[in-house]
Structure formats: C-alpha cells, structure tokens
C-alpha cells in the first residue's frame, strides 16, 4: 500500500483543510464539495485525510462494519452476538465516475432469489464506506441517477436495494467528499444543497508558496516513506486534536444569540429551505469544538456562513458562487447580542486557518463582457474592407434578459448518455419490453423471466413451491428514458447581425437555450463566424458556464462567411462523433441567413448545408432577420439543412410546440 501525502504537509488551502477537519470532527455537518481548477491539491488533501481519522471498532466478520456497541438491528449479516470485535483504520472508498448502480449500492443474486427465495446480497461501495470516507472525484461528471442514490444514502444514513420485490437495507453513514472542476460542468442546485460545505480552491499566485509546493512534492516523490516520517509528529498532533474535539462536541453550547445570527444570516442571503440553517448550526458547533471551546461565538457563525452558504445562493447556473462579506458582517453585527457575543465577527476578519474564501468572485461581479471589450484593439479582420452599411468590429453587446424556451429535441430513439432532452433507451425510465441480457443482468424483467421458465418446470423436475430458473430464462428489462445531446451553437457575429442592436436579443436567445441545455444535462459547443473565417469559440464541453462567458464577450463586425461557419461546425461534429458516437447532436444556427464574402458565397453555403441534411443531423435555424422587409434567407437555409426555422419571437416558451414535428416533416419532404 502506497504512503499517502501527509495532510499537514499540504501548502496553503486553509479553507479546504478546515472544511475537511470539521467534517472529521462532526460527520453530521454533511460532507464537503471542493470546487477548483486542476492541480490544486484537491484529491491529495482528501486522500490524506483518511490517515488522520481515528480507528473504528467493528463487529468481527460483519461486511457492513457494524459498531459493536450499537450494531444495526437490520444488518443483512445480523443479528450480531455481543463480544467479538476488531479495530481497524477508517476506510476511504473511492467511487469511480464510470461505476454502475450495482457497484455503488450492491447487487442481489437474482437466480438464488428466484429459485431459493433467499437474500443473497453482495455489498457495494456504500457498505464499504460505512463509518469512513466516501470520495467522489469529478462528482459533476457522475451520472445523475448515481448522484441521487449517493446523496439519498448520505441524507438517510442507510442504503436501500430493491430488486423486483426483494429488498435489502443496511446502514451507510459516511463522510461524503466530492471534488470537481467547474470547467467540466456544474452540479444541479438541488444537488449542491445536499453537500454540507463547499470550498473554492485555486493555485497560489505567490512565488514563495509555489516554490514550497514544488519542493515538498519533489521530496515526497523521491522518498514517500521518509517524507511522511518527517511529518509524523504534526500528523499525530492533528489526529489527537480531532479525537479531543469529538469528545468535546456534545458539551458545546449553541446559545439563542448564535441561533438568531444563523437564522438572520440565512434569511438575509435568501437561501432556499432550512438545510442551510441546520448545516450552519452544526458547522459552528464543530468550529467551537475544534477551537477547544464549549461556547459558539460570532466568529464561529461567520466562518460557518462562509463555508455553508456560497453554493446555496445560486439562482441559475451562471451565477458565480460567493458571499458578500460586508453584508455578512452587517447582519452578524445587527443580530449579535447575548450569550457572550460582543461583535466578535467584526473584530476578527481573519479567523484562523480557512478564515475566508479569499479571492472568490462576488455574485454581481460575474464576467459581463464590457470590461474585456474595452481592452480589445479595434482591429478588423486583417484589414478587410467592411460591407456597405456595416461597421467595424464593435464592442460586445450585453445579452438581453434570458427567457424560458420550449424543448428542442432530436427525433428518433437514441442510446446516449442519460439526460433530459431526447427519447432514448436507458437503464432508467419506463419499461417498454424485455430481451436476453448482454453480459451481467442489471434490470430483471420478472414477468418475462417467469414466462420463459414456466414451460420447462416439469422437465426440470420441479417438486416444491420454488420456481426452477436457469440462466437462459433470465430477461433484461428494456427501458425508455431521456438522453443528453450535444447542442452545437453556430452563431453569426457579422456586421449585419450587429445592425439595429440585434446582437443583444440574439445573445439573450442563445443564453436562454444554454440555460435549457444546462437543465437537460447536455454538452454544448460554440462556433462563431464573421469577417473572413469561422472559429470554435468553445469546443464541446459540459460547462455551460464557459459557453455563457464566451458568448458574453463575443465581438461583432465584418462580412458573413456562412459557409465557413457551417463547415467548421461539420468538422466539430465529425470529431465528436468519433469521441462519443452514442451522443446525438442538435445544431442550432443563429443567423439572418445572409452570406457574403468570397466567390459564390450563397451557393457555397448551400452546399455546406446539404452535408448536414445528407447525414441526418437535426438542426434548427433561429431567424434573426428583422424589419418590415424580410428576404427569407434563414428559411431557405433551414430547407437546405433539412431542419426548420423559427424567429426569435417564436423561440419563446409556447411557440415551438411543433418544432420536432416540423424537423421530421421537413426531412420527409426533402
């Protein structure tokens, strides 16, 4: 077994270390979500924490790590006789992103369950993690149904496995830690709320600190055991402090004054529900115990707010998580009072390690694009002359207010990654039939299995009540659900789009579609074209936040190389088809349909569009043409693509009811 990097040797990252230690002191806090860029010691710190956790006593031979002092009465390995127990280190179990549901919650032996009526259960990772740490790296890439199972178990302290009337329940209380890179996509707000604390981490910009990080890492890589030995005393001290804080925790008093500050803070920041209040109370209590106190002070409430509230303030996926510390201090001062609290929150702006989310962007400071535009040179596209009536490169227009859109779906039945957009064959959803299993059986179709086994019972010598079932009788349930798609936006940023301030409305429409893509768990990409060429502003990614930022800072001006934009989009889809052949694309072209620049621009754009029609790519053209005189060029482009065209007004909520039918009928007509 490899020697882990010592927890106390991690340089900086005070907030991260404090959040992990508070959960080690009080697992009831609810776990930690660590957000940050790659290479910031997220995984290193989490793995190092397991070495600091106190040993646990378990019932000898119990696969579910029952506590000998209070064994689980419903343990599948029970009932347990008193007496025999063993001590072992607390486990840290890693949940891989590609794990199956059965690997997470465990699996039943279906053949024995049907033939013998016994609950032959093989424990999963949730059982392994009981009374330890469950670590999910890149939790934002975990399939939704696994995240739901994981967080339900974390909330209830138990795991339930149901298979066609056969059920098993076992205890599953663990410290849940997830790490993620926001560039790869966000968790849904309701899932963010299930993590007790969140921490934003970033690499230090201080040269001395970066030097120390490199020095320690090189020393560890050269001699892991020797490096760990040099930090053994610090590790032992922290381990002893965790044990002492756990023992002190039941004696910590959370007074009415601290409770009023907690409630007032949650109300002031308009967080939804009551979970934030409860998490803050538990975190403040753990902070007091960690500090060796039996009284919760205002500084504990302040620190608890900085750890428990930022991720609960997001109202949409493009809001930056963060907390206005001035507003926090004002609230604490206004509602501070008795119970020994005399404005401690104001007097100690930096309450020890992990004292504040240094450098977090405020919610109102999310990139808007205008500031970046001021620093951009006003250079045109290689000196190319602008079309008559057009303009040179303009400052990026601010997006109009987003609105709710109707669903744009890909016709047919896919088999892509689980999501919420188009119909697909999935592991979850309504049962539509049965088939012989390919590989391991995951979803038993009981009726079809019984039907397959029934004709052979006499030949198999059935004599008792049990059904004699063979492997060949088992049938896998086929289910229909929803998949996520690749939504590729192809946006016209030419001078004609900038005229009459249309770009603001266009960006608002695309931003609305991005919000819809976020909610439906799609991948998104962004191709823009203007001047003389097209560029991939954002390669396909799960991070709609990144797409929104690129869209906001998008400049306009120049000619309209429509063919170049379509050809670049075709290349992006070709590459993505090789990387992820099961994920079906939906192309959304946002343009007024004009094509200028180069020889025969209109004919070339038509030929490029027919490539998509020949491949059956689902496409929608958002017609941005305005004014009393309309040329209908966007509608003509939609016909060439084999898709359909909608205006900006028709894109709103109840205006696209027949869009998918239009796409399908357009293809048939072609």
């Amino acid at each position: 077994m490899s020697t882990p990097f010592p927890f106390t040797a991690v340089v900086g990252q005070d907030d991260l270390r404090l959040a992990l230690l508070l959960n080690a002191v009080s697992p009831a806090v609810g776990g930690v979500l660590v957000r940050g860029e790659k290479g910031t010691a997220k995984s290193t710190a989490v793995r190092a924490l397991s070495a600091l956790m106190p040993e646990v006593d378990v019932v000898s031979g119990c696969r579910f790590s029952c506590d000998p002092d209070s064994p689980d009465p419903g343990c599948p390995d029970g009932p347990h006789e008193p007496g025999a127990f063993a001590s072992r280190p607390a486990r840290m179990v890693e949940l891989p992103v590609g794990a199956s549901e059965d690997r997470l919650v465990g699996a039943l032996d279906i053949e024995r369950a049907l033939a013998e009526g016994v609950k032959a259960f093989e424990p999963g990772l949730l059982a392994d993690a009981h009374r330890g740490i469950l670590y999910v790296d890149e939790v934002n890439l975990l399939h939704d149904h696994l995240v739901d199972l994981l967080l339900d178990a974390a909330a209830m302290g138990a795991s339930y496995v149901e298979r066609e009337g056969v059920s098993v329940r076992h205890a599953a209380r663990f410290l849940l830690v997830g790490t993620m890179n926001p560039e790869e996509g966000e968790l849904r707000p309701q899932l963010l709320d299930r993590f007790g604390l969140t921490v934003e981490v970033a690499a230090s910009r201080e040269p001395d600190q970066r030097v120390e990080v490199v020095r320690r890492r090189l020393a560890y890589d050269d001699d892991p055991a020797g490096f760990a030995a040099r930090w053994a005393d610090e590790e032992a001290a922290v381990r002893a402090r965790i044990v002492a804080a756990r023992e002190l925790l039941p004696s910590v008093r959370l007074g009415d004054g601290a409770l009023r500050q907690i409630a007032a803070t949650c109300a002031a920041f308009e967080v939804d529900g009551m979970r934030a209040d409860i998490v803050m109370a538990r975190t403040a209590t753990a902070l007091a115990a960690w500090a060796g106190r039996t009284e919760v002070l205002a500084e504990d409430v302040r620190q608890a707010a900085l750890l428990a509230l930022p991720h609960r303030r997001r109202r949409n996926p493009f809001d930056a998580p963060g907390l206005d510390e001035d507003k926090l201090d004002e609230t604490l001062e206004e509602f501070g009072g008795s119970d020994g609290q005399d404005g401690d929150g104001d007097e100690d702006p930096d309450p020890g390690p992990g004292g504040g989310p240094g450098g977090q962007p405020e919610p109102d400071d999310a990139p808007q694009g205008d500031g970046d535009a001021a620093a951009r040179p006003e250079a045109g596209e290689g000196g190319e002359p602008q079309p008559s009536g057009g303009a040179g490169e303009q400052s990026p227009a601010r997006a109009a207010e987003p609105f709710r859109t109707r669903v744009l779906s890909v016709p047919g039945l896919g088999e892509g990654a689980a999501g919420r957009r188009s119909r697909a064959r999935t592991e979850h959803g309504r049962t539509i039939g049965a088939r012989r299993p390919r590989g391991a059986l995951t979803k038993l179709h009981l009726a079809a299995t019984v039907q397959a086994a029934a004709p052979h019972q006499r030949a198999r010598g059935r004599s008792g009540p049990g059904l004699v079932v063979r492997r060949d009788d088992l049938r896998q349930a086929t289910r229909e659900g929803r998949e996520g798609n690749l939504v590729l936006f192809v946006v016209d940023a030419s001078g004609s789009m900038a005229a009459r301030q249309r770009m603001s409305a266009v960006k608002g429409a695309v931003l609305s579609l991005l919000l819809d893509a976020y909610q439906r768990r799609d991948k998104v990409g962004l191709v823009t074209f203007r001047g003389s060429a097209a560029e991939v502003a954002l390669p396909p990614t799960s991070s709609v936040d990144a797409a929104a930022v690129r869209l906001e800072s998008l400049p306009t001006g120049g000619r309209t190389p429509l063919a170049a934009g379509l050809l670049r989009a075709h290349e992006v889809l070709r590459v993505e088809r090789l990387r992820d052949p099961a994920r079906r694309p939906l192309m959304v072209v946002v343009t007024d349909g004009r094509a200028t620049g180069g020889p025969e621009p209109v004919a070339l754009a038509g030929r490029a569009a027919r490539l998509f029609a020949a491949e059956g790519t689902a496409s929608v053209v958002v017609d941005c043409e305005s004014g009393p005189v309309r040329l209908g060029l966007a509608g003509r482009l939609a016909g060439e693509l084999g898709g359909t065209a909608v205006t900006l007004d028709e894109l709103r909520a109840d205006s696209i009811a027949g869009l998918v039918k239009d796409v399908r009928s357009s293809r048939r007509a072609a």
Side-chain angles (χ1 to χ4, degrees), residues 596-626:
T596 60
E600 301 183 345
V602 177
L604 187 60
R607 288 198 294 272
R610 287 190 288 275
L611 291 175
F612 296 93
E615 295 174 352
T617 302
S619 58
V620 176
V621 178
V622 179
D623 184 358
C624 301
E625 193 173 27
S626 61

Side-chain angles (χ1 to χ4, degrees), residues 232-243:
D233 291 343
E234 288 83 350
E235 295 281 285
V238 173
R239 191 179 299 110
R241 189 174 175 186
I242 292 174
V243 173

Side-chain angles (χ1 to χ4, degrees), residues 47-59:
R47 293 189 176 99
L49 178 67
S50 61
L52 298 179
M53 299 289 285
E55 288 192 341
V56 294
D57 293 334
V58 298
V59 174

Side-chain angles (χ1 to χ4, degrees), residues 100-103 106-108 110 161-164 426-428 435 437-445 471 474-479:
S100 66
E101 179 180 339
D102 286 344
R103 183 72 187 100
L108 292 171
I110 299 297
V161 184
E162 303 285 345
R163 290 291 187 276
E164 303 294 347
T426 63
E427 288 294 316
H428 299 270
R435 60 172 173 80
R438 305 185 190 104
L441 179 72
T442 56
K443 297 292 181 182
L444 178 73
H445 194 296
R471 175 69 185 176
L474 299 179
R475 295 295 182 267
Q476 174 86 22
T478 56
R479 304 192 176 196

Side-chain angles (χ1 to χ4, degrees), residues 348-614:
D348 187 7
D350 183 16
Q360 285 191 4
E362 298 296 337
D364 295 334
D365 292 338
Q368 299 296 327
D370 291 344
D372 293 340
R376 292 178 183 270
E378 293 293 329
E381 288 290 329
E384 180 181 339
Q386 304 300 327
S388 58
E393 181 174 311
Q394 302 182 11
S395 297
R398 187 182 296 271
E401 192 69 23
F403 51 84
R404 181 171 172 267
T405 68
R406 290 296 297 267
V407 182
L408 306 177
S409 300
V410 178
L413 192 64
E415 295 183 344
R420 295 180 177 82
R421 183 171 296 277
S422 305
R423 294 173 55 231
R425 298 183 188 90
T426 63
E427 288 294 316
H428 299 270
R430 63 186 183 92
T431 301
I432 59 173
R435 60 172 173 80
R436 292 181 182 273
R438 305 185 190 104
L441 179 72
T442 56
K443 297 292 181 182
L444 178 73
H445 194 296
L446 183 59
T449 299
V450 171
Q451 187 176 8
H456 309 290
Q457 296 305 296
R458 181 175 297 178
R460 293 173 183 173
R462 173 184 171 183
S463 58
L467 192 67
V468 181
V469 179
R470 304 276 173 83
R471 175 69 185 176
D472 290 343
D473 300 328
L474 299 179
R475 295 295 182 267
Q476 174 86 22
T478 56
R479 304 192 176 196
E480 181 180 304
R482 292 280 169 176
E483 67 177 358
N485 298 111
L486 167 58
V487 183
L488 181 63
F489 294 94
V490 184
V491 180
D492 183 350
S494 63
S496 64
M497 293 288 288
R500 307 183 192 94
Q501 300 300 315
R502 279 188 289 172
M503 204 60 194
S504 177
V506 167
K507 286 186 175 182
V510 178
L511 191 63
S512 303
L513 291 168
L514 282 172
L515 280 165
D516 183 68
Y518 166 81
Q519 294 164 352
R520 301 188 186 281
R521 310 300 285 172
D522 295 314
K523 291 181 70 174
V524 296
L526 178 62
V527 172
T528 64
F529 57 94
R530 67 186 184 92
S532 59
E535 67 171 341
V536 181
L538 183 71
T541 176
S542 297
S543 176
V544 295
D545 302 59
V549 171
R550 302 291 173 88
L551 177 73
E552 196 71 41
S553 60
L554 179 67
T556 58
R559 296 185 180 276
T560 312
L562 178 57
L566 294 175
L567 290 174
R568 181 58 62 91
H570 186 269
E571 177 63 16
V572 170
L573 293 182
R574 184 189 69 81
V575 173
E576 283 301 305
R577 198 173 290 118
L578 295 174
R579 291 175 177 168
D580 190 358
R583 189 181 290 268
R584 297 186 295 163
L586 172 65
M587 185 172 69
V588 180
V589 184
V590 185
T591 182
D592 57 10
R594 298 173 187 267
T596 60
E600 301 183 345
V602 177
L604 187 60
R607 288 198 294 272
R610 287 190 288 275
L611 291 175
F612 296 93

